Amino acid sequence: MGDELRRLRETCMGLAGNKMAVKLGWDPSKVSTVEHGRARASEVDIIQYLSMCGKDIDYINDFKRRYQHAFDEYIVQVSDNLRTVAMAEATATALTSYSPQAIPGLVQTPEYADGHYRMTGMVTEARIPALVQVRVDRQTVLRRHNRPTCVFYIHENALRLRVGSSAIMEDQYARLLFHAHAIRVVPADAPVVASSCSLWEFEKSRPVVYSETELTNVYVQDPGAIARTRLLFDRLDEVALDAEQSRSRLADYVGRPREDSDDAGPHLA
């Protein structure tokens, strides 16, 4: 919701947040607080904001309907709505994730991402390039000077899953080795069973647990669910290889003999 309000301010008003606050008669920090989702905007706030952007009553009612559950503790979105994911990753101070079946999106190579979308069989070929580009764009958060603190727990089954050609996997392993400082490998025989999930932590907002499938994106702010997710990551910290062992394990994958380029397995078009 805050992201859409920001885009409306920029496209309809062309104003910086502090100047928008002046026009609305708000405290200068209130626009930033609302746009970053750090506080629930009242119905009056929404009406004032959208009216200032030139929106009529039909638009306002539709906006309120679409975002009536914005502050619910469980929110489900369609899987191709990635603006919320990108904004959360860009504003987080810490990102912790567990990936039991695939390489985490933030450290995927474009070729691996392409191959993974093709393997699911649930995305039309015409949409794949745009989805891959979004994934690549999201990765810029890792190159910022104020990038979030990241820990990626990757199960060894995800490392072993063949996506595309051996050359694609070789490049993917090399990418992981480049980010080895943030990666903890969970050995294949580790006694842990859990689905993929991420924990996003923010400076002035509640943490969010995020989980995605090919069909939906789920955002959770329920304190109980967050506590259980922290327990999962505590458990993963116990069973995963430490940072140096993980680096060594990744180096083993990089150094494995490369198979012939016409080997079996799914290939990219």
Side-chain angles (χ1 to χ4, degrees), residues 3-40:
D3 184 42
E4 183 164 349
L5 290 174
R6 176 189 57 77
R7 290 191 302 108
L8 286 171
R9 167 174 59 79
E10 293 174 346
T11 57
C12 298
M13 301 295 291
L15 295 175
N18 59 338
K19 292 186 178 179
M20 183 69 164
V22 170
K23 281 190 169 292
L24 288 166
W26 292 1
D27 182 272
S29 65
K30 184 172 180 177
V31 169
S32 176
T33 297
V34 169
E35 290 181 355
H36 285 86
R38 291 194 287 263
R40 180 192 292 267

PDB file of all heavy atoms in Angstrom, residues 3-40:
ATOM      1  N   ASP A   3       3.889   1.548  -0.998  1.00  0.00           N
ATOM      2  CA  ASP A   3       4.600   1.659  -2.271  1.00  0.00           C
ATOM      3  C   ASP A   3       3.721   2.311  -3.324  1.00  0.00           C
ATOM      4  O   ASP A   3       4.175   3.156  -4.103  1.00  0.00           O
ATOM      5  CB  ASP A   3       5.042   0.265  -2.719  1.00  0.00           C
ATOM      6  CG  ASP A   3       5.879   0.297  -3.987  1.00  0.00           C
ATOM      7  OD1 ASP A   3       6.740   1.181  -4.097  1.00  0.00           O
ATOM      8  OD2 ASP A   3       5.677  -0.570  -4.843  1.00  0.00           O
ATOM      9  N   GLU A   4       2.443   1.940  -3.368  1.00  0.00           N
ATOM     10  CA  GLU A   4       1.551   2.543  -4.356  1.00  0.00           C
ATOM     11  C   GLU A   4       1.313   4.022  -4.047  1.00  0.00           C
ATOM     12  O   GLU A   4       1.253   4.850  -4.955  1.00  0.00           O
ATOM     13  CB  GLU A   4       0.217   1.801  -4.415  1.00  0.00           C
ATOM     14  CG  GLU A   4      -0.701   2.364  -5.493  1.00  0.00           C
ATOM     15  CD  GLU A   4      -1.840   1.447  -5.861  1.00  0.00           C
ATOM     16  OE1 GLU A   4      -1.826   0.275  -5.437  1.00  0.00           O
ATOM     17  OE2 GLU A   4      -2.749   1.903  -6.581  1.00  0.00           O
ATOM     18  N   LEU A   5       1.180   4.358  -2.784  1.00  0.00           N
ATOM     19  CA  LEU A   5       1.025   5.772  -2.422  1.00  0.00           C
ATOM     20  C   LEU A   5       2.239   6.578  -2.873  1.00  0.00           C
ATOM     21  O   LEU A   5       2.108   7.689  -3.398  1.00  0.00           O
ATOM     22  CB  LEU A   5       0.826   5.905  -0.909  1.00  0.00           C
ATOM     23  CG  LEU A   5      -0.507   5.406  -0.346  1.00  0.00           C
ATOM     24  CD1 LEU A   5      -0.492   5.465   1.172  1.00  0.00           C
ATOM     25  CD2 LEU A   5      -1.678   6.221  -0.894  1.00  0.00           C
ATOM     26  N   ARG A   6       3.425   6.024  -2.659  1.00  0.00           N
ATOM     27  CA  ARG A   6       4.636   6.728  -3.082  1.00  0.00           C
ATOM     28  C   ARG A   6       4.646   6.945  -4.591  1.00  0.00           C
ATOM     29  O   ARG A   6       4.980   8.037  -5.068  1.00  0.00           O
ATOM     30  CB  ARG A   6       5.877   5.931  -2.662  1.00  0.00           C
ATOM     31  CG  ARG A   6       7.196   6.537  -3.135  1.00  0.00           C
ATOM     32  CD  ARG A   6       8.356   5.593  -2.881  1.00  0.00           C
ATOM     33  NE  ARG A   6       8.162   4.306  -3.523  1.00  0.00           N
ATOM     34  CZ  ARG A   6       8.336   4.083  -4.829  1.00  0.00           C
ATOM     35  NH1 ARG A   6       8.704   5.084  -5.634  1.00  0.00           N
ATOM     36  NH2 ARG A   6       8.149   2.882  -5.338  1.00  0.00           N
ATOM     37  N   ARG A   7       4.288   5.904  -5.346  1.00  0.00           N
ATOM     38  CA  ARG A   7       4.286   6.030  -6.797  1.00  0.00           C
ATOM     39  C   ARG A   7       3.261   7.069  -7.260  1.00  0.00           C
ATOM     40  O   ARG A   7       3.519   7.824  -8.200  1.00  0.00           O
ATOM     41  CB  ARG A   7       3.996   4.671  -7.444  1.00  0.00           C
ATOM     42  CG  ARG A   7       5.136   3.683  -7.283  1.00  0.00           C
ATOM     43  CD  ARG A   7       4.971   2.432  -8.132  1.00  0.00           C
ATOM     44  NE  ARG A   7       3.732   1.730  -7.820  1.00  0.00           N
ATOM     45  CZ  ARG A   7       2.663   1.685  -8.619  1.00  0.00           C
ATOM     46  NH1 ARG A   7       2.692   2.330  -9.780  1.00  0.00           N
ATOM     47  NH2 ARG A   7       1.585   1.013  -8.272  1.00  0.00           N
ATOM     48  N   LEU A   8       2.113   7.126  -6.591  1.00  0.00           N
ATOM     49  CA  LEU A   8       1.112   8.138  -6.940  1.00  0.00           C
ATOM     50  C   LEU A   8       1.638   9.540  -6.660  1.00  0.00           C
ATOM     51  O   LEU A   8       1.432  10.463  -7.449  1.00  0.00           O
ATOM     52  CB  LEU A   8      -0.174   7.886  -6.146  1.00  0.00           C
ATOM     53  CG  LEU A   8      -1.022   6.695  -6.590  1.00  0.00           C
ATOM     54  CD1 LEU A   8      -2.125   6.436  -5.578  1.00  0.00           C
ATOM     55  CD2 LEU A   8      -1.605   6.941  -7.968  1.00  0.00           C
ATOM     56  N   ARG A   9       2.322   9.703  -5.534  1.00  0.00           N
ATOM     57  CA  ARG A   9       2.897  11.019  -5.209  1.00  0.00           C
ATOM     58  C   ARG A   9       3.890  11.452  -6.279  1.00  0.00           C
ATOM     59  O   ARG A   9       3.874  12.599  -6.736  1.00  0.00           O
ATOM     60  CB  ARG A   9       3.589  10.969  -3.841  1.00  0.00           C
ATOM     61  CG  ARG A   9       4.476  12.176  -3.553  1.00  0.00           C
ATOM     62  CD  ARG A   9       5.027  12.164  -2.154  1.00  0.00           C
ATOM     63  NE  ARG A   9       5.819  10.995  -1.847  1.00  0.00           N
ATOM     64  CZ  ARG A   9       7.089  10.820  -2.216  1.00  0.00           C
ATOM     65  NH1 ARG A   9       7.696  11.724  -2.981  1.00  0.00           N
ATOM     66  NH2 ARG A   9       7.763   9.742  -1.854  1.00  0.00           N
ATOM     67  N   GLU A  10       4.735  10.532  -6.689  1.00  0.00           N
ATOM     68  CA  GLU A  10       5.768  10.875  -7.657  1.00  0.00           C
ATOM     69  C   GLU A  10       5.191  11.128  -9.046  1.00  0.00           C
ATOM     70  O   GLU A  10       5.631  12.053  -9.750  1.00  0.00           O
ATOM     71  CB  GLU A  10       6.808   9.763  -7.709  1.00  0.00           C
ATOM     72  CG  GLU A  10       7.611   9.631  -6.410  1.00  0.00           C
ATOM     73  CD  GLU A  10       8.544   8.432  -6.410  1.00  0.00           C
ATOM     74  OE1 GLU A  10       8.392   7.549  -7.292  1.00  0.00           O
ATOM     75  OE2 GLU A  10       9.421   8.367  -5.525  1.00  0.00           O
ATOM     76  N   THR A  11       4.219  10.307  -9.463  1.00  0.00           N
ATOM     77  CA  THR A  11       3.693  10.440 -10.822  1.00  0.00           C
ATOM     78  C   THR A  11       2.623  11.510 -10.950  1.00  0.00           C
ATOM     79  O   THR A  11       2.543  12.197 -11.975  1.00  0.00           O
ATOM     80  CB  THR A  11       3.124   9.092 -11.308  1.00  0.00           C
ATOM     81  OG1 THR A  11       2.105   8.649 -10.395  1.00  0.00           O
ATOM     82  CG2 THR A  11       4.219   8.037 -11.378  1.00  0.00           C
ATOM     83  N   CYS A  12       1.806  11.671  -9.925  1.00  0.00           N
ATOM     84  CA  CYS A  12       0.692  12.630 -10.006  1.00  0.00           C
ATOM     85  C   CYS A  12       1.071  14.016  -9.496  1.00  0.00           C
ATOM     86  O   CYS A  12       0.545  15.022  -9.983  1.00  0.00           O
ATOM     87  CB  CYS A  12      -0.509  12.124  -9.208  1.00  0.00           C
ATOM     88  SG  CYS A  12      -1.201  10.568  -9.806  1.00  0.00           S
ATOM     89  N   MET A  13       1.968  14.062  -8.525  1.00  0.00           N
ATOM     90  CA  MET A  13       2.304  15.333  -7.899  1.00  0.00           C
ATOM     91  C   MET A  13       3.717  15.806  -8.235  1.00  0.00           C
ATOM     92  O   MET A  13       3.996  17.002  -8.248  1.00  0.00           O
ATOM     93  CB  MET A  13       2.162  15.224  -6.376  1.00  0.00           C
ATOM     94  CG  MET A  13       0.769  14.829  -5.910  1.00  0.00           C
ATOM     95  SD  MET A  13      -0.453  16.094  -6.314  1.00  0.00           S
ATOM     96  CE  MET A  13       0.071  17.402  -5.201  1.00  0.00           C
ATOM     97  N   GLY A  14       4.635  14.854  -8.460  1.00  0.00           N
ATOM     98  CA  GLY A  14       6.018  15.222  -8.716  1.00  0.00           C
ATOM     99  C   GLY A  14       6.669  15.908  -7.533  1.00  0.00           C
ATOM    100  O   GLY A  14       7.542  16.765  -7.698  1.00  0.00           O
ATOM    101  N   LEU A  15       6.261  15.536  -6.340  1.00  0.00           N
ATOM    102  CA  LEU A  15       6.755  16.189  -5.124  1.00  0.00           C
ATOM    103  C   LEU A  15       7.586  15.238  -4.282  1.00  0.00           C
ATOM    104  O   LEU A  15       7.334  14.030  -4.255  1.00  0.00           O
ATOM    105  CB  LEU A  15       5.578  16.690  -4.276  1.00  0.00           C
ATOM    106  CG  LEU A  15       4.694  17.794  -4.855  1.00  0.00           C
ATOM    107  CD1 LEU A  15       3.532  18.059  -3.910  1.00  0.00           C
ATOM    108  CD2 LEU A  15       5.492  19.065  -5.095  1.00  0.00           C
ATOM    109  N   ALA A  16       8.553  15.792  -3.587  1.00  0.00           N
ATOM    110  CA  ALA A  16       9.272  15.034  -2.574  1.00  0.00           C
ATOM    111  C   ALA A  16       8.341  14.818  -1.382  1.00  0.00           C
ATOM    112  O   ALA A  16       7.346  15.534  -1.213  1.00  0.00           O
ATOM    113  CB  ALA A  16      10.526  15.781  -2.137  1.00  0.00           C
ATOM    114  N   GLY A  17       8.665  13.838  -0.554  1.00  0.00           N
ATOM    115  CA  GLY A  17       7.790  13.505   0.565  1.00  0.00           C
ATOM    116  C   GLY A  17       7.548  14.652   1.515  1.00  0.00           C
ATOM    117  O   GLY A  17       6.416  14.874   1.982  1.00  0.00           O
ATOM    118  N   ASN A  18       8.594  15.446   1.809  1.00  0.00           N
ATOM    119  CA  ASN A  18       8.419  16.547   2.760  1.00  0.00           C
ATOM    120  C   ASN A  18       7.519  17.646   2.196  1.00  0.00           C
ATOM    121  O   ASN A  18       6.742  18.274   2.922  1.00  0.00           O
ATOM    122  CB  ASN A  18       9.776  17.115   3.177  1.00  0.00           C
ATOM    123  CG  ASN A  18      10.587  17.639   2.008  1.00  0.00           C
ATOM    124  OD1 ASN A  18      10.363  17.246   0.860  1.00  0.00           O
ATOM    125  ND2 ASN A  18      11.542  18.521   2.278  1.00  0.00           N
ATOM    126  N   LYS A  19       7.585  17.854   0.877  1.00  0.00           N
ATOM    127  CA  LYS A  19       6.719  18.865   0.264  1.00  0.00           C
ATOM    128  C   LYS A  19       5.270  18.383   0.206  1.00  0.00           C
ATOM    129  O   LYS A  19       4.333  19.183   0.327  1.00  0.00           O
ATOM    130  CB  LYS A  19       7.235  19.216  -1.122  1.00  0.00           C
ATOM    131  CG  LYS A  19       8.574  19.948  -1.091  1.00  0.00           C
ATOM    132  CD  LYS A  19       9.006  20.409  -2.474  1.00  0.00           C
ATOM    133  CE  LYS A  19      10.324  21.193  -2.391  1.00  0.00           C
ATOM    134  NZ  LYS A  19      10.778  21.634  -3.733  1.00  0.00           N
ATOM    135  N   MET A  20       5.097  17.068   0.025  1.00  0.00           N
ATOM    136  CA  MET A  20       3.753  16.503   0.068  1.00  0.00           C
ATOM    137  C   MET A  20       3.165  16.692   1.462  1.00  0.00           C
ATOM    138  O   MET A  20       1.977  17.018   1.618  1.00  0.00           O
ATOM    139  CB  MET A  20       3.799  15.024  -0.295  1.00  0.00           C
ATOM    140  CG  MET A  20       2.443  14.349  -0.351  1.00  0.00           C
ATOM    141  SD  MET A  20       1.468  14.931  -1.755  1.00  0.00           S
ATOM    142  CE  MET A  20       0.213  13.635  -1.823  1.00  0.00           C
ATOM    143  N   ALA A  21       3.990  16.506   2.495  1.00  0.00           N
ATOM    144  CA  ALA A  21       3.521  16.678   3.865  1.00  0.00           C
ATOM    145  C   ALA A  21       3.054  18.111   4.111  1.00  0.00           C
ATOM    146  O   ALA A  21       2.039  18.344   4.770  1.00  0.00           O
ATOM    147  CB  ALA A  21       4.642  16.306   4.847  1.00  0.00           C
ATOM    148  N   VAL A  22       3.783  19.068   3.558  1.00  0.00           N
ATOM    149  CA  VAL A  22       3.393  20.476   3.712  1.00  0.00           C
ATOM    150  C   VAL A  22       2.023  20.711   3.091  1.00  0.00           C
ATOM    151  O   VAL A  22       1.146  21.360   3.692  1.00  0.00           O
ATOM    152  CB  VAL A  22       4.443  21.403   3.079  1.00  0.00           C
ATOM    153  CG1 VAL A  22       3.924  22.837   3.033  1.00  0.00           C
ATOM    154  CG2 VAL A  22       5.748  21.330   3.866  1.00  0.00           C
ATOM    155  N   LYS A  23       1.805  20.190   1.892  1.00  0.00           N
ATOM    156  CA  LYS A  23       0.521  20.377   1.219  1.00  0.00           C
ATOM    157  C   LYS A  23      -0.621  19.736   1.991  1.00  0.00           C
ATOM    158  O   LYS A  23      -1.752  20.239   2.000  1.00  0.00           O
ATOM    159  CB  LYS A  23       0.578  19.819  -0.202  1.00  0.00           C
ATOM    160  CG  LYS A  23       1.275  20.751  -1.208  1.00  0.00           C
ATOM    161  CD  LYS A  23       1.091  20.250  -2.620  1.00  0.00           C
ATOM    162  CE  LYS A  23       1.541  21.303  -3.629  1.00  0.00           C
ATOM    163  NZ  LYS A  23       0.653  22.491  -3.623  1.00  0.00           N
ATOM    164  N   LEU A  24      -0.346  18.611   2.640  1.00  0.00           N
ATOM    165  CA  LEU A  24      -1.375  17.908   3.394  1.00  0.00           C
ATOM    166  C   LEU A  24      -1.554  18.472   4.796  1.00  0.00           C
ATOM    167  O   LEU A  24      -2.529  18.137   5.476  1.00  0.00           O
ATOM    168  CB  LEU A  24      -1.024  16.417   3.494  1.00  0.00           C
ATOM    169  CG  LEU A  24      -1.162  15.597   2.208  1.00  0.00           C
ATOM    170  CD1 LEU A  24      -0.475  14.243   2.363  1.00  0.00           C
ATOM    171  CD2 LEU A  24      -2.637  15.401   1.867  1.00  0.00           C
ATOM    172  N   GLY A  25      -0.603  19.296   5.234  1.00  0.00           N
ATOM    173  CA  GLY A  25      -0.651  19.797   6.604  1.00  0.00           C
ATOM    174  C   GLY A  25      -0.248  18.755   7.622  1.00  0.00           C
ATOM    175  O   GLY A  25      -0.643  18.822   8.785  1.00  0.00           O
ATOM    176  N   TRP A  26       0.548  17.783   7.175  1.00  0.00           N
ATOM    177  CA  TRP A  26       1.003  16.715   8.052  1.00  0.00           C
ATOM    178  C   TRP A  26       2.376  17.041   8.620  1.00  0.00           C
ATOM    179  O   TRP A  26       3.111  17.875   8.084  1.00  0.00           O
ATOM    180  CB  TRP A  26       1.109  15.393   7.296  1.00  0.00           C
ATOM    181  CG  TRP A  26      -0.194  14.799   6.859  1.00  0.00           C
ATOM    182  CD1 TRP A  26      -1.442  15.310   7.033  1.00  0.00           C
ATOM    183  CD2 TRP A  26      -0.362  13.560   6.159  1.00  0.00           C
ATOM    184  NE1 TRP A  26      -2.382  14.478   6.489  1.00  0.00           N
ATOM    185  CE2 TRP A  26      -1.751  13.392   5.945  1.00  0.00           C
ATOM    186  CE3 TRP A  26       0.514  12.583   5.680  1.00  0.00           C
ATOM    187  CZ2 TRP A  26      -2.275  12.279   5.287  1.00  0.00           C
ATOM    188  CZ3 TRP A  26       0.001  11.478   5.030  1.00  0.00           C
ATOM    189  CH2 TRP A  26      -1.385  11.323   4.831  1.00  0.00           C
ATOM    190  N   ASP A  27       2.745  16.335   9.687  1.00  0.00           N
ATOM    191  CA  ASP A  27       4.116  16.382  10.185  1.00  0.00           C
ATOM    192  C   ASP A  27       5.040  15.852   9.078  1.00  0.00           C
ATOM    193  O   ASP A  27       4.692  14.891   8.385  1.00  0.00           O
ATOM    194  CB  ASP A  27       4.252  15.513  11.440  1.00  0.00           C
ATOM    195  CG  ASP A  27       5.645  15.561  12.028  1.00  0.00           C
ATOM    196  OD1 ASP A  27       6.489  14.738  11.592  1.00  0.00           O
ATOM    197  OD2 ASP A  27       5.894  16.391  12.903  1.00  0.00           O
ATOM    198  N   PRO A  28       6.209  16.455   8.881  1.00  0.00           N
ATOM    199  CA  PRO A  28       7.092  16.039   7.779  1.00  0.00           C
ATOM    200  C   PRO A  28       7.423  14.549   7.752  1.00  0.00           C
ATOM    201  O   PRO A  28       7.659  13.979   6.682  1.00  0.00           O
ATOM    202  CB  PRO A  28       8.350  16.880   8.014  1.00  0.00           C
ATOM    203  CG  PRO A  28       7.843  18.092   8.728  1.00  0.00           C
ATOM    204  CD  PRO A  28       6.734  17.612   9.610  1.00  0.00           C
ATOM    205  N   SER A  29       7.451  13.902   8.919  1.00  0.00           N
ATOM    206  CA  SER A  29       7.815  12.481   8.955  1.00  0.00           C
ATOM    207  C   SER A  29       6.643  11.561   8.632  1.00  0.00           C
ATOM    208  O   SER A  29       6.844  10.370   8.375  1.00  0.00           O
ATOM    209  CB  SER A  29       8.362  12.119  10.337  1.00  0.00           C
ATOM    210  OG  SER A  29       7.348  12.252  11.328  1.00  0.00           O
ATOM    211  N   LYS A  30       5.427  12.102   8.613  1.00  0.00           N
ATOM    212  CA  LYS A  30       4.260  11.234   8.482  1.00  0.00           C
ATOM    213  C   LYS A  30       4.177  10.593   7.102  1.00  0.00           C
ATOM    214  O   LYS A  30       3.821   9.414   6.980  1.00  0.00           O
ATOM    215  CB  LYS A  30       2.980  12.016   8.768  1.00  0.00           C
ATOM    216  CG  LYS A  30       1.728  11.152   8.751  1.00  0.00           C
ATOM    217  CD  LYS A  30       0.514  11.926   9.241  1.00  0.00           C
ATOM    218  CE  LYS A  30      -0.736  11.066   9.223  1.00  0.00           C
ATOM    219  NZ  LYS A  30      -1.914  11.775   9.752  1.00  0.00           N
ATOM    220  N   VAL A  31       4.499  11.335   6.037  1.00  0.00           N
ATOM    221  CA  VAL A  31       4.449  10.757   4.693  1.00  0.00           C
ATOM    222  C   VAL A  31       5.397   9.567   4.596  1.00  0.00           C
ATOM    223  O   VAL A  31       5.039   8.503   4.085  1.00  0.00           O
ATOM    224  CB  VAL A  31       4.790  11.816   3.623  1.00  0.00           C
ATOM    225  CG1 VAL A  31       5.011  11.157   2.264  1.00  0.00           C
ATOM    226  CG2 VAL A  31       3.680  12.854   3.527  1.00  0.00           C
ATOM    227  N   SER A  32       6.621   9.726   5.085  1.00  0.00           N
ATOM    228  CA  SER A  32       7.590   8.628   5.054  1.00  0.00           C
ATOM    229  C   SER A  32       7.092   7.441   5.868  1.00  0.00           C
ATOM    230  O   SER A  32       7.220   6.284   5.441  1.00  0.00           O
ATOM    231  CB  SER A  32       8.940   9.097   5.586  1.00  0.00           C
ATOM    232  OG  SER A  32       9.859   8.032   5.657  1.00  0.00           O
ATOM    233  N   THR A  33       6.510   7.700   7.022  1.00  0.00           N
ATOM    234  CA  THR A  33       6.018   6.631   7.888  1.00  0.00           C
ATOM    235  C   THR A  33       4.918   5.835   7.208  1.00  0.00           C
ATOM    236  O   THR A  33       4.914   4.600   7.235  1.00  0.00           O
ATOM    237  CB  THR A  33       5.481   7.226   9.209  1.00  0.00           C
ATOM    238  OG1 THR A  33       6.552   7.875   9.903  1.00  0.00           O
ATOM    239  CG2 THR A  33       4.909   6.136  10.106  1.00  0.00           C
ATOM    240  N   VAL A  34       3.995   6.543   6.562  1.00  0.00           N
ATOM    241  CA  VAL A  34       2.887   5.869   5.867  1.00  0.00           C
ATOM    242  C   VAL A  34       3.386   5.116   4.640  1.00  0.00           C
ATOM    243  O   VAL A  34       3.016   3.966   4.408  1.00  0.00           O
ATOM    244  CB  VAL A  34       1.804   6.902   5.476  1.00  0.00           C
ATOM    245  CG1 VAL A  34       0.790   6.281   4.524  1.00  0.00           C
ATOM    246  CG2 VAL A  34       1.111   7.432   6.724  1.00  0.00           C
ATOM    247  N   GLU A  35       4.264   5.740   3.859  1.00  0.00           N
ATOM    248  CA  GLU A  35       4.731   5.114   2.624  1.00  0.00           C
ATOM    249  C   GLU A  35       5.617   3.902   2.873  1.00  0.00           C
ATOM    250  O   GLU A  35       5.739   3.026   2.018  1.00  0.00           O
ATOM    251  CB  GLU A  35       5.479   6.139   1.770  1.00  0.00           C
ATOM    252  CG  GLU A  35       4.574   7.202   1.177  1.00  0.00           C
ATOM    253  CD  GLU A  35       5.316   8.206   0.307  1.00  0.00           C
ATOM    254  OE1 GLU A  35       6.566   8.126   0.239  1.00  0.00           O
ATOM    255  OE2 GLU A  35       4.656   9.069  -0.285  1.00  0.00           O
ATOM    256  N   HIS A  36       6.248   3.831   4.028  1.00  0.00           N
ATOM    257  CA  HIS A  36       7.095   2.679   4.336  1.00  0.00           C
ATOM    258  C   HIS A  36       6.373   1.650   5.208  1.00  0.00           C
ATOM    259  O   HIS A  36       6.983   0.679   5.666  1.00  0.00           O
ATOM    260  CB  HIS A  36       8.379   3.130   5.043  1.00  0.00           C
ATOM    261  CG  HIS A  36       9.368   3.767   4.106  1.00  0.00           C
ATOM    262  ND1 HIS A  36       9.320   5.100   3.783  1.00  0.00           N
ATOM    263  CD2 HIS A  36      10.405   3.240   3.409  1.00  0.00           C
ATOM    264  CE1 HIS A  36      10.294   5.379   2.931  1.00  0.00           C
ATOM    265  NE2 HIS A  36      10.959   4.268   2.687  1.00  0.00           N
ATOM    266  N   GLY A  37       5.071   1.873   5.420  1.00  0.00           N
ATOM    267  CA  GLY A  37       4.279   0.887   6.146  1.00  0.00           C
ATOM    268  C   GLY A  37       4.618   0.755   7.610  1.00  0.00           C
ATOM    269  O   GLY A  37       4.326  -0.269   8.235  1.00  0.00           O
ATOM    270  N   ARG A  38       5.230   1.795   8.186  1.00  0.00           N
ATOM    271  CA  ARG A  38       5.612   1.713   9.593  1.00  0.00           C
ATOM    272  C   ARG A  38       4.451   2.015  10.531  1.00  0.00           C
ATOM    273  O   ARG A  38       4.567   1.817  11.733  1.00  0.00           O
ATOM    274  CB  ARG A  38       6.788   2.655   9.866  1.00  0.00           C
ATOM    275  CG  ARG A  38       8.089   2.197   9.218  1.00  0.00           C
ATOM    276  CD  ARG A  38       9.281   2.941   9.784  1.00  0.00           C
ATOM    277  NE  ARG A  38       9.350   4.303   9.329  1.00  0.00           N
ATOM    278  CZ  ARG A  38      10.103   4.716   8.319  1.00  0.00           C
ATOM    279  NH1 ARG A  38      10.830   3.832   7.643  1.00  0.00           N
ATOM    280  NH2 ARG A  38      10.140   5.979   7.965  1.00  0.00           N
ATOM    281  N   ALA A  39       3.359   2.508   9.971  1.00  0.00           N
ATOM    282  CA  ALA A  39       2.168   2.782  10.779  1.00  0.00           C
ATOM    283  C   ALA A  39       0.947   2.671   9.886  1.00  0.00           C
ATOM    284  O   ALA A  39       1.014   2.899   8.677  1.00  0.00           O
ATOM    285  CB  ALA A  39       2.239   4.174  11.409  1.00  0.00           C
ATOM    286  N   ARG A  40      -0.166   2.305  10.494  1.00  0.00           N
ATOM    287  CA  ARG A  40      -1.410   2.172   9.740  1.00  0.00           C
ATOM    288  C   ARG A  40      -1.976   3.555   9.438  1.00  0.00           C
ATOM    289  O   ARG A  40      -2.192   4.363  10.356  1.00  0.00           O
ATOM    290  CB  ARG A  40      -2.419   1.371  10.542  1.00  0.00           C
ATOM    291  CG  ARG A  40      -3.761   1.176   9.828  1.00  0.00           C
ATOM    292  CD  ARG A  40      -4.799   0.646  10.789  1.00  0.00           C
ATOM    293  NE  ARG A  40      -4.493  -0.701  11.195  1.00  0.00           N
ATOM    294  CZ  ARG A  40      -4.966  -1.797  10.588  1.00  0.00           C
ATOM    295  NH1 ARG A  40      -5.755  -1.656   9.525  1.00  0.00           N
ATOM    296  NH2 ARG A  40      -4.648  -2.990  11.024  1.00  0.00           N
TER     297      ARG A  40
END
